[in-house]
Amino acid sequence: MSDAQARLSQVTHMLTSDKTASTIPFDPNCTKFPARKHVPKRPDAPPDAAWVWGEDDQVSQFATGTFYNNTHTADIIGPRANLKCSIHHWSEHGGIAGRGVLLDYRAYADKKGIQYDSFTDHRIPYEELYSCGKGQGIDIRPQAQGGDIRIGDMLFIRSGFISQYHKVKSSEEWSKVALRPHAIGPDDQQKWAGIAQEEKMLDWLHDCYFAAVGGDSPSFEAWPSNRDYYLHEYLLAMWGCPIGEMIDLEKLAKRCHETNRWTFFVTSSPNNTPGGISTNANAMAIL
């Protein structure tokens, strides 16, 4: 962007009360944020790096051992452990609260005759999520692209894991599923249904600027990945977006169907645990 264009943009924002994020680190008070393909690049950052970077932060993928906000394993455990990326910061800032959006993919799949096992790596592509939302009366595109998703919304996807889990008849039957060998990579025998690893999904997750995402499956995304990356790497390490897993959405989905209302107020109170790297959701949806 040239100096003249930047100045024109500033004047426009002042007159319209709109404020577009154009340089990293982005001002969280902005009202407009760039699409993934338009995020400014930094020479010290991997492609698609987060929009909330500080001046000297560096985040990367699993291969580098670097997590969000330039956090390393030594920052979490060991003699040099610190509270740089501790879960307690969320608690001290009042927790997480905002508008939630539910996509009931399991109900959509049943209605469309799409049969799958939640204990397999069934992949839910973006196009199917879009159709699911359309059936619920929701355009899942971000507002900036003409859709209904607002900056800061929290996404919840019901893929059917919880409902299938409650149908397991014995502990022995469940053990056969839960104790499958686990190892990061294509040979991982822990398999769970979830959203697909694909460019459209990455673009959508980024461009919606969700405050948090979650679902009822143990992994949120289809597990294991069939690509050379996991969505966890983008959401957690590169964008700083929390992921909720194994959230019981059964009663919420039932109520949403009864009222034909798919948005609601959500509160989440993370544990106040200095040095913690995860927490119970302690969440409640209010319709």
Side-chain angles (χ1 to χ4, degrees), residues 202-245:
L202 282 172
D203 286 342
W204 176 64
L205 290 171
H206 177 279
D207 295 354
C208 285
Y209 286 84
F210 291 115
V213 299
D216 58 351
S217 82
S219 56
F220 183 66
E221 63 180 301
W223 200 274
S225 173
N226 63 346
R227 301 292 183 91
D228 60 355
Y229 63 85
Y230 283 83
L231 298 179
H232 276 61
E233 296 177 78
Y234 285 85
L235 288 162
L236 293 175
M238 299 176 78
W239 302 340
C241 179
I243 304 173
E245 297 162 339

mmCIF file of all heavy atoms in Angstrom, residues 202-245:
data_model
loop_
_atom_site.group_PDB
_atom_site.id
_atom_site.type_symbol
_atom_site.label_atom_id
_atom_site.label_comp_id
_atom_site.label_asym_id
_atom_site.label_seq_id
_atom_site.Cartn_x
_atom_site.Cartn_y
_atom_site.Cartn_z
ATOM 1 N N LEU A 202 -9.360 -23.751 5.663
ATOM 2 C CA LEU A 202 -8.413 -22.818 6.264
ATOM 3 C C LEU A 202 -8.833 -21.374 6.013
ATOM 4 O O LEU A 202 -8.810 -20.535 6.922
ATOM 5 C CB LEU A 202 -7.015 -23.059 5.702
ATOM 6 C CG LEU A 202 -6.240 -24.258 6.255
ATOM 7 C CD1 LEU A 202 -4.958 -24.476 5.464
ATOM 8 C CD2 LEU A 202 -5.920 -24.066 7.733
ATOM 9 N N ASP A 203 -9.208 -21.079 4.769
ATOM 10 C CA ASP A 203 -9.649 -19.724 4.442
ATOM 11 C C ASP A 203 -10.850 -19.329 5.278
ATOM 12 O O ASP A 203 -10.918 -18.215 5.825
ATOM 13 C CB ASP A 203 -10.010 -19.619 2.955
ATOM 14 C CG ASP A 203 -8.801 -19.599 2.048
ATOM 15 O OD1 ASP A 203 -7.680 -19.321 2.542
ATOM 16 O OD2 ASP A 203 -8.955 -19.864 0.836
ATOM 17 N N TRP A 204 -11.802 -20.230 5.401
ATOM 18 C CA TRP A 204 -13.033 -19.928 6.139
ATOM 19 C C TRP A 204 -12.747 -19.724 7.627
ATOM 20 O O TRP A 204 -13.198 -18.729 8.219
ATOM 21 C CB TRP A 204 -14.039 -21.067 5.956
ATOM 22 C CG TRP A 204 -15.293 -20.908 6.736
ATOM 23 C CD1 TRP A 204 -16.234 -19.912 6.597
ATOM 24 C CD2 TRP A 204 -15.763 -21.759 7.796
ATOM 25 N NE1 TRP A 204 -17.252 -20.106 7.501
ATOM 26 C CE2 TRP A 204 -16.994 -21.224 8.234
ATOM 27 C CE3 TRP A 204 -15.273 -22.925 8.384
ATOM 28 C CZ2 TRP A 204 -17.735 -21.814 9.264
ATOM 29 C CZ3 TRP A 204 -15.996 -23.513 9.401
ATOM 30 C CH2 TRP A 204 -17.215 -22.958 9.840
ATOM 31 N N LEU A 205 -11.984 -20.642 8.236
ATOM 32 C CA LEU A 205 -11.675 -20.523 9.658
ATOM 33 C C LEU A 205 -10.929 -19.226 9.948
ATOM 34 O O LEU A 205 -11.179 -18.567 10.962
ATOM 35 C CB LEU A 205 -10.840 -21.722 10.120
ATOM 36 C CG LEU A 205 -11.559 -23.074 10.185
ATOM 37 C CD1 LEU A 205 -10.555 -24.187 10.449
ATOM 38 C CD2 LEU A 205 -12.647 -23.072 11.257
ATOM 39 N N HIS A 206 -10.032 -18.864 9.060
ATOM 40 C CA HIS A 206 -9.283 -17.618 9.259
ATOM 41 C C HIS A 206 -10.154 -16.390 9.048
ATOM 42 O O HIS A 206 -10.211 -15.484 9.884
ATOM 43 C CB HIS A 206 -8.080 -17.551 8.322
ATOM 44 C CG HIS A 206 -7.316 -16.278 8.439
ATOM 45 N ND1 HIS A 206 -7.716 -15.113 7.810
ATOM 46 C CD2 HIS A 206 -6.202 -15.959 9.130
ATOM 47 C CE1 HIS A 206 -6.882 -14.142 8.107
ATOM 48 N NE2 HIS A 206 -5.943 -14.637 8.913
ATOM 49 N N ASP A 207 -10.843 -16.348 7.911
ATOM 50 C CA ASP A 207 -11.540 -15.123 7.509
ATOM 51 C C ASP A 207 -12.730 -14.799 8.399
ATOM 52 O O ASP A 207 -13.176 -13.648 8.453
ATOM 53 C CB ASP A 207 -11.980 -15.228 6.045
ATOM 54 C CG ASP A 207 -10.799 -15.310 5.096
ATOM 55 O OD1 ASP A 207 -9.648 -15.174 5.561
ATOM 56 O OD2 ASP A 207 -11.015 -15.540 3.888
ATOM 57 N N CYS A 208 -13.252 -15.803 9.111
ATOM 58 C CA CYS A 208 -14.349 -15.541 10.045
ATOM 59 C C CYS A 208 -13.848 -14.909 11.344
ATOM 60 O O CYS A 208 -14.636 -14.331 12.093
ATOM 61 C CB CYS A 208 -15.103 -16.828 10.368
ATOM 62 S SG CYS A 208 -16.179 -17.409 9.035
ATOM 63 N N TYR A 209 -12.557 -15.030 11.629
ATOM 64 C CA TYR A 209 -11.976 -14.482 12.860
ATOM 65 C C TYR A 209 -12.762 -14.946 14.087
ATOM 66 O O TYR A 209 -13.192 -14.145 14.919
ATOM 67 C CB TYR A 209 -11.903 -12.958 12.795
ATOM 68 C CG TYR A 209 -10.803 -12.461 11.872
ATOM 69 C CD1 TYR A 209 -11.030 -12.344 10.500
ATOM 70 C CD2 TYR A 209 -9.537 -12.139 12.362
ATOM 71 C CE1 TYR A 209 -10.019 -11.912 9.642
ATOM 72 C CE2 TYR A 209 -8.532 -11.702 11.510
ATOM 73 C CZ TYR A 209 -8.776 -11.588 10.154
ATOM 74 O OH TYR A 209 -7.775 -11.170 9.316
ATOM 75 N N PHE A 210 -12.945 -16.268 14.177
ATOM 76 C CA PHE A 210 -13.625 -16.836 15.340
ATOM 77 C C PHE A 210 -12.818 -16.567 16.607
ATOM 78 O O PHE A 210 -11.594 -16.635 16.610
ATOM 79 C CB PHE A 210 -13.798 -18.346 15.175
ATOM 80 C CG PHE A 210 -14.775 -18.751 14.115
ATOM 81 C CD1 PHE A 210 -14.355 -19.446 12.990
ATOM 82 C CD2 PHE A 210 -16.119 -18.447 14.244
ATOM 83 C CE1 PHE A 210 -15.258 -19.834 12.013
ATOM 84 C CE2 PHE A 210 -17.038 -18.826 13.273
ATOM 85 C CZ PHE A 210 -16.604 -19.523 12.150
ATOM 86 N N ALA A 211 -13.513 -16.285 17.711
ATOM 87 C CA ALA A 211 -12.847 -16.140 19.001
ATOM 88 C C ALA A 211 -12.457 -17.500 19.563
ATOM 89 O O ALA A 211 -11.486 -17.623 20.310
ATOM 90 C CB ALA A 211 -13.758 -15.417 19.989
ATOM 91 N N ALA A 212 -13.213 -18.527 19.192
ATOM 92 C CA ALA A 212 -12.932 -19.891 19.624
ATOM 93 C C ALA A 212 -13.718 -20.835 18.720
ATOM 94 O O ALA A 212 -14.724 -20.444 18.117
ATOM 95 C CB ALA A 212 -13.331 -20.110 21.080
ATOM 96 N N VAL A 213 -13.249 -22.067 18.619
ATOM 97 C CA VAL A 213 -13.977 -23.094 17.873
ATOM 98 C C VAL A 213 -14.059 -24.339 18.753
ATOM 99 O O VAL A 213 -13.240 -24.533 19.654
ATOM 100 C CB VAL A 213 -13.291 -23.437 16.532
ATOM 101 C CG1 VAL A 213 -13.217 -22.218 15.630
ATOM 102 C CG2 VAL A 213 -11.890 -24.022 16.753
ATOM 103 N N GLY A 214 -15.047 -25.180 18.504
ATOM 104 C CA GLY A 214 -15.171 -26.382 19.305
ATOM 105 C C GLY A 214 -16.187 -27.338 18.718
ATOM 106 O O GLY A 214 -16.912 -27.010 17.777
ATOM 107 N N GLY A 215 -16.220 -28.525 19.283
ATOM 108 C CA GLY A 215 -17.154 -29.533 18.808
ATOM 109 C C GLY A 215 -17.242 -30.685 19.782
ATOM 110 O O GLY A 215 -16.627 -30.679 20.851
ATOM 111 N N ASP A 216 -18.023 -31.702 19.407
ATOM 112 C CA ASP A 216 -18.225 -32.832 20.308
ATOM 113 C C ASP A 216 -17.229 -33.962 20.088
ATOM 114 O O ASP A 216 -17.193 -34.913 20.857
ATOM 115 C CB ASP A 216 -19.662 -33.363 20.182
ATOM 116 C CG ASP A 216 -20.005 -33.801 18.759
ATOM 117 O OD1 ASP A 216 -19.206 -33.542 17.830
ATOM 118 O OD2 ASP A 216 -21.085 -34.398 18.568
ATOM 119 N N SER A 217 -16.401 -33.878 19.075
ATOM 120 C CA SER A 217 -15.447 -34.954 18.808
ATOM 121 C C SER A 217 -14.174 -34.753 19.629
ATOM 122 O O SER A 217 -13.917 -33.654 20.118
ATOM 123 C CB SER A 217 -15.094 -34.999 17.319
ATOM 124 O OG SER A 217 -14.094 -34.058 17.000
ATOM 125 N N PRO A 218 -13.349 -35.801 19.779
ATOM 126 C CA PRO A 218 -12.105 -35.667 20.547
ATOM 127 C C PRO A 218 -11.038 -34.829 19.848
ATOM 128 O O PRO A 218 -10.014 -34.513 20.459
ATOM 129 C CB PRO A 218 -11.631 -37.121 20.700
ATOM 130 C CG PRO A 218 -12.850 -37.949 20.488
ATOM 131 C CD PRO A 218 -13.645 -37.210 19.459
ATOM 132 N N SER A 219 -11.250 -34.465 18.581
ATOM 133 C CA SER A 219 -10.180 -33.797 17.844
ATOM 134 C C SER A 219 -10.625 -32.563 17.061
ATOM 135 O O SER A 219 -9.780 -31.881 16.491
ATOM 136 C CB SER A 219 -9.527 -34.787 16.872
ATOM 137 O OG SER A 219 -10.501 -35.348 16.011
ATOM 138 N N PHE A 220 -11.924 -32.281 17.001
ATOM 139 C CA PHE A 220 -12.493 -31.183 16.220
ATOM 140 C C PHE A 220 -12.283 -31.401 14.729
ATOM 141 O O PHE A 220 -13.229 -31.469 13.954
ATOM 142 C CB PHE A 220 -11.918 -29.830 16.639
ATOM 143 C CG PHE A 220 -12.543 -28.659 15.905
ATOM 144 C CD1 PHE A 220 -13.878 -28.353 16.093
ATOM 145 C CD2 PHE A 220 -11.803 -27.899 15.020
ATOM 146 C CE1 PHE A 220 -14.465 -27.279 15.413
ATOM 147 C CE2 PHE A 220 -12.378 -26.826 14.337
ATOM 148 C CZ PHE A 220 -13.710 -26.521 14.533
ATOM 149 N N GLU A 221 -11.046 -31.524 14.288
ATOM 150 C CA GLU A 221 -10.774 -31.829 12.883
ATOM 151 C C GLU A 221 -10.726 -33.338 12.686
ATOM 152 O O GLU A 221 -10.560 -34.104 13.646
ATOM 153 C CB GLU A 221 -9.454 -31.214 12.446
ATOM 154 C CG GLU A 221 -8.217 -31.741 13.172
ATOM 155 C CD GLU A 221 -6.934 -31.078 12.688
ATOM 156 O OE1 GLU A 221 -6.636 -31.178 11.490
ATOM 157 O OE2 GLU A 221 -6.238 -30.456 13.525
ATOM 158 N N ALA A 222 -10.878 -33.792 11.451
ATOM 159 C CA ALA A 222 -10.758 -35.213 11.152
ATOM 160 C C ALA A 222 -9.363 -35.690 11.558
ATOM 161 O O ALA A 222 -8.366 -35.026 11.280
ATOM 162 C CB ALA A 222 -10.995 -35.462 9.661
ATOM 163 N N TRP A 223 -9.316 -36.842 12.223
ATOM 164 C CA TRP A 223 -8.036 -37.329 12.759
ATOM 165 C C TRP A 223 -7.800 -38.769 12.360
ATOM 166 O O TRP A 223 -8.705 -39.588 12.469
ATOM 167 C CB TRP A 223 -8.078 -37.225 14.281
ATOM 168 C CG TRP A 223 -6.718 -37.223 14.900
ATOM 169 C CD1 TRP A 223 -5.959 -38.316 15.245
ATOM 170 C CD2 TRP A 223 -5.945 -36.067 15.240
ATOM 171 N NE1 TRP A 223 -4.773 -37.924 15.778
ATOM 172 C CE2 TRP A 223 -4.732 -36.549 15.789
ATOM 173 C CE3 TRP A 223 -6.146 -34.701 15.139
ATOM 174 C CZ2 TRP A 223 -3.737 -35.686 16.244
ATOM 175 C CZ3 TRP A 223 -5.163 -33.852 15.587
ATOM 176 C CH2 TRP A 223 -3.965 -34.344 16.128
ATOM 177 N N PRO A 224 -6.584 -39.074 11.855
ATOM 178 C CA PRO A 224 -5.457 -38.167 11.628
ATOM 179 C C PRO A 224 -5.625 -37.377 10.330
ATOM 180 O O PRO A 224 -6.497 -37.676 9.515
ATOM 181 C CB PRO A 224 -4.262 -39.115 11.538
ATOM 182 C CG PRO A 224 -4.839 -40.379 10.972
ATOM 183 C CD PRO A 224 -6.217 -40.481 11.574
ATOM 184 N N SER A 225 -4.788 -36.389 10.150
ATOM 185 C CA SER A 225 -4.841 -35.576 8.935
ATOM 186 C C SER A 225 -4.403 -36.400 7.727
ATOM 187 O O SER A 225 -3.560 -37.285 7.841
ATOM 188 C CB SER A 225 -3.925 -34.356 9.083
ATOM 189 O OG SER A 225 -3.845 -33.640 7.864
ATOM 190 N N ASN A 226 -4.993 -36.091 6.585
ATOM 191 C CA ASN A 226 -4.545 -36.718 5.337
ATOM 192 C C ASN A 226 -3.698 -35.742 4.516
ATOM 193 O O ASN A 226 -3.462 -35.966 3.339
ATOM 194 C CB ASN A 226 -5.735 -37.218 4.524
ATOM 195 C CG ASN A 226 -6.659 -36.093 4.083
ATOM 196 O OD1 ASN A 226 -6.572 -34.966 4.585
ATOM 197 N ND2 ASN A 226 -7.562 -36.386 3.169
ATOM 198 N N ARG A 227 -3.291 -34.663 5.148
ATOM 199 C CA ARG A 227 -2.406 -33.677 4.518
ATOM 200 C C ARG A 227 -1.108 -33.594 5.315
ATOM 201 O O ARG A 227 -0.932 -34.297 6.312
ATOM 202 C CB ARG A 227 -3.087 -32.304 4.457
ATOM 203 C CG ARG A 227 -4.407 -32.286 3.688
ATOM 204 C CD ARG A 227 -4.212 -32.516 2.206
ATOM 205 N NE ARG A 227 -5.449 -32.426 1.458
ATOM 206 C CZ ARG A 227 -5.906 -31.300 0.912
ATOM 207 N NH1 ARG A 227 -5.234 -30.181 1.061
ATOM 208 N NH2 ARG A 227 -7.040 -31.304 0.230
ATOM 209 N N ASP A 228 -0.230 -32.695 4.901
ATOM 210 C CA ASP A 228 1.033 -32.532 5.618
ATOM 211 C C ASP A 228 0.924 -31.481 6.723
ATOM 212 O O ASP A 228 1.922 -30.927 7.172
ATOM 213 C CB ASP A 228 2.168 -32.181 4.657
ATOM 214 C CG ASP A 228 1.918 -30.877 3.903
ATOM 215 O OD1 ASP A 228 0.815 -30.304 4.061
ATOM 216 O OD2 ASP A 228 2.823 -30.444 3.161
ATOM 217 N N TYR A 229 -0.283 -31.209 7.166
ATOM 218 C CA TYR A 229 -0.505 -30.265 8.254
ATOM 219 C C TYR A 229 -1.775 -30.661 8.998
ATOM 220 O O TYR A 229 -2.584 -31.459 8.515
ATOM 221 C CB TYR A 229 -0.652 -28.830 7.721
ATOM 222 C CG TYR A 229 -1.856 -28.626 6.815
ATOM 223 C CD1 TYR A 229 -3.124 -28.355 7.340
ATOM 224 C CD2 TYR A 229 -1.737 -28.739 5.433
ATOM 225 C CE1 TYR A 229 -4.226 -28.196 6.521
ATOM 226 C CE2 TYR A 229 -2.840 -28.579 4.604
ATOM 227 C CZ TYR A 229 -4.079 -28.301 5.152
ATOM 228 O OH TYR A 229 -5.180 -28.152 4.333
ATOM 229 N N TYR A 230 -1.921 -30.109 10.186
ATOM 230 C CA TYR A 230 -3.140 -30.251 10.966
ATOM 231 C C TYR A 230 -3.759 -28.873 11.149
ATOM 232 O O TYR A 230 -3.038 -27.869 11.253
ATOM 233 C CB TYR A 230 -2.845 -30.863 12.345
ATOM 234 C CG TYR A 230 -2.613 -32.349 12.334
ATOM 235 C CD1 TYR A 230 -1.357 -32.869 12.009
ATOM 236 C CD2 TYR A 230 -3.639 -33.236 12.637
ATOM 237 C CE1 TYR A 230 -1.137 -34.241 12.002
ATOM 238 C CE2 TYR A 230 -3.437 -34.608 12.632
ATOM 239 C CZ TYR A 230 -2.187 -35.108 12.305
ATOM 240 O OH TYR A 230 -1.983 -36.458 12.293
ATOM 241 N N LEU A 231 -5.084 -28.806 11.223
ATOM 242 C CA LEU A 231 -5.748 -27.534 11.494
ATOM 243 C C LEU A 231 -5.366 -27.004 12.872
ATOM 244 O O LEU A 231 -5.352 -25.790 13.096
ATOM 245 C CB LEU A 231 -7.272 -27.699 11.401
ATOM 246 C CG LEU A 231 -7.823 -28.130 10.037
ATOM 247 C CD1 LEU A 231 -9.346 -28.264 10.106
ATOM 248 C CD2 LEU A 231 -7.424 -27.141 8.942
ATOM 249 N N HIS A 232 -5.015 -27.913 13.792
ATOM 250 C CA HIS A 232 -4.555 -27.487 15.109
ATOM 251 C C HIS A 232 -3.362 -26.536 14.993
ATOM 252 O O HIS A 232 -3.234 -25.590 15.776
ATOM 253 C CB HIS A 232 -4.146 -28.705 15.940
ATOM 254 C CG HIS A 232 -5.270 -29.391 16.639
ATOM 255 N ND1 HIS A 232 -6.329 -29.967 15.967
ATOM 256 C CD2 HIS A 232 -5.508 -29.597 17.967
ATOM 257 C CE1 HIS A 232 -7.167 -30.508 16.847
ATOM 258 N NE2 HIS A 232 -6.691 -30.298 18.062
ATOM 259 N N GLU A 233 -2.475 -26.819 14.060
ATOM 260 C CA GLU A 233 -1.284 -25.985 13.919
ATOM 261 C C GLU A 233 -1.644 -24.553 13.562
ATOM 262 O O GLU A 233 -1.020 -23.603 14.046
ATOM 263 C CB GLU A 233 -0.368 -26.570 12.849
ATOM 264 C CG GLU A 233 0.182 -27.943 13.199
ATOM 265 C CD GLU A 233 1.024 -28.510 12.071
ATOM 266 O OE1 GLU A 233 2.189 -28.086 11.922
ATOM 267 O OE2 GLU A 233 0.509 -29.358 11.318
ATOM 268 N N TYR A 234 -2.633 -24.401 12.691
ATOM 269 C CA TYR A 234 -3.060 -23.066 12.293
ATOM 270 C C TYR A 234 -3.845 -22.385 13.406
ATOM 271 O O TYR A 234 -3.565 -21.248 13.785
ATOM 272 C CB TYR A 234 -3.906 -23.137 11.022
ATOM 273 C CG TYR A 234 -3.091 -23.384 9.777
ATOM 274 C CD1 TYR A 234 -2.746 -24.670 9.384
ATOM 275 C CD2 TYR A 234 -2.641 -22.326 8.990
ATOM 276 C CE1 TYR A 234 -1.985 -24.903 8.249
ATOM 277 C CE2 TYR A 234 -1.877 -22.539 7.855
ATOM 278 C CZ TYR A 234 -1.552 -23.835 7.487
ATOM 279 O OH TYR A 234 -0.791 -24.044 6.378
ATOM 280 N N LEU A 235 -4.838 -23.080 13.937
ATOM 281 C CA LEU A 235 -5.715 -22.476 14.930
ATOM 282 C C LEU A 235 -4.971 -22.129 16.214
ATOM 283 O O LEU A 235 -5.076 -21.009 16.723
ATOM 284 C CB LEU A 235 -6.876 -23.418 15.237
ATOM 285 C CG LEU A 235 -7.935 -23.551 14.136
ATOM 286 C CD1 LEU A 235 -8.785 -24.800 14.345
ATOM 287 C CD2 LEU A 235 -8.822 -22.311 14.095
ATOM 288 N N LEU A 236 -4.208 -23.076 16.736
ATOM 289 C CA LEU A 236 -3.548 -22.867 18.022
ATOM 290 C C LEU A 236 -2.224 -22.116 17.882
ATOM 291 O O LEU A 236 -2.047 -21.040 18.453
ATOM 292 C CB LEU A 236 -3.296 -24.216 18.693
ATOM 293 C CG LEU A 236 -4.525 -25.009 19.141
ATOM 294 C CD1 LEU A 236 -4.095 -26.375 19.669
ATOM 295 C CD2 LEU A 236 -5.294 -24.252 20.205
ATOM 296 N N ALA A 237 -1.298 -22.703 17.142
ATOM 297 C CA ALA A 237 0.064 -22.177 17.119
ATOM 298 C C ALA A 237 0.213 -20.907 16.294
ATOM 299 O O ALA A 237 1.020 -20.041 16.632
ATOM 300 C CB ALA A 237 1.025 -23.244 16.587
ATOM 301 N N MET A 238 -0.569 -20.795 15.219
ATOM 302 C CA MET A 238 -0.364 -19.664 14.320
ATOM 303 C C MET A 238 -1.378 -18.544 14.513
ATOM 304 O O MET A 238 -1.070 -17.383 14.243
ATOM 305 C CB MET A 238 -0.381 -20.155 12.876
ATOM 306 C CG MET A 238 0.730 -21.153 12.583
ATOM 307 S SD MET A 238 0.664 -21.845 10.925
ATOM 308 C CE MET A 238 1.354 -20.501 9.993
ATOM 309 N N TRP A 239 -2.581 -18.876 14.968
ATOM 310 C CA TRP A 239 -3.619 -17.858 15.098
ATOM 311 C C TRP A 239 -4.041 -17.610 16.535
ATOM 312 O O TRP A 239 -4.790 -16.677 16.811
ATOM 313 C CB TRP A 239 -4.852 -18.237 14.267
ATOM 314 C CG TRP A 239 -4.570 -18.422 12.814
ATOM 315 C CD1 TRP A 239 -3.497 -17.943 12.111
ATOM 316 C CD2 TRP A 239 -5.367 -19.150 11.873
ATOM 317 N NE1 TRP A 239 -3.578 -18.323 10.796
ATOM 318 C CE2 TRP A 239 -4.716 -19.062 10.615
ATOM 319 C CE3 TRP A 239 -6.559 -19.851 11.960
ATOM 320 C CZ2 TRP A 239 -5.216 -19.659 9.466
ATOM 321 C CZ3 TRP A 239 -7.073 -20.453 10.821
ATOM 322 C CH2 TRP A 239 -6.405 -20.350 9.584
ATOM 323 N N GLY A 240 -3.625 -18.453 17.460
ATOM 324 C CA GLY A 240 -3.997 -18.252 18.853
ATOM 325 C C GLY A 240 -5.469 -18.444 19.131
ATOM 326 O O GLY A 240 -6.016 -17.851 20.063
ATOM 327 N N CYS A 241 -6.133 -19.294 18.356
ATOM 328 C CA CYS A 241 -7.569 -19.540 18.520
ATOM 329 C C CYS A 241 -7.787 -20.826 19.303
ATOM 330 O O CYS A 241 -7.351 -21.898 18.869
ATOM 331 C CB CYS A 241 -8.249 -19.642 17.150
ATOM 332 S SG CYS A 241 -10.028 -19.972 17.217
ATOM 333 N N PRO A 242 -8.437 -20.781 20.465
ATOM 334 C CA PRO A 242 -8.638 -21.995 21.262
ATOM 335 C C PRO A 242 -9.589 -22.983 20.598
ATOM 336 O O PRO A 242 -10.504 -22.597 19.871
ATOM 337 C CB PRO A 242 -9.224 -21.467 22.577
ATOM 338 C CG PRO A 242 -9.839 -20.158 22.218
ATOM 339 C CD PRO A 242 -8.996 -19.588 21.114
ATOM 340 N N ILE A 243 -9.346 -24.260 20.871
ATOM 341 C CA ILE A 243 -10.176 -25.345 20.340
ATOM 342 C C ILE A 243 -10.801 -26.099 21.501
ATOM 343 O O ILE A 243 -10.096 -26.562 22.402
ATOM 344 C CB ILE A 243 -9.341 -26.329 19.492
ATOM 345 C CG1 ILE A 243 -8.624 -25.605 18.363
ATOM 346 C CG2 ILE A 243 -10.232 -27.441 18.941
ATOM 347 C CD1 ILE A 243 -7.654 -26.495 17.585
ATOM 348 N N GLY A 244 -12.113 -26.243 21.487
ATOM 349 C CA GLY A 244 -12.813 -27.037 22.488
ATOM 350 C C GLY A 244 -13.163 -28.400 21.918
ATOM 351 O O GLY A 244 -13.638 -28.495 20.782
ATOM 352 N N GLU A 245 -12.927 -29.445 22.676
ATOM 353 C CA GLU A 245 -13.172 -30.812 22.197
ATOM 354 C C GLU A 245 -14.004 -31.601 23.199
ATOM 355 O O GLU A 245 -14.001 -31.312 24.394
ATOM 356 C CB GLU A 245 -11.828 -31.512 21.949
ATOM 357 C CG GLU A 245 -11.010 -30.829 20.862
ATOM 358 C CD GLU A 245 -9.537 -31.194 20.888
ATOM 359 O OE1 GLU A 245 -9.043 -31.641 21.940
ATOM 360 O OE2 GLU A 245 -8.872 -31.007 19.849
#
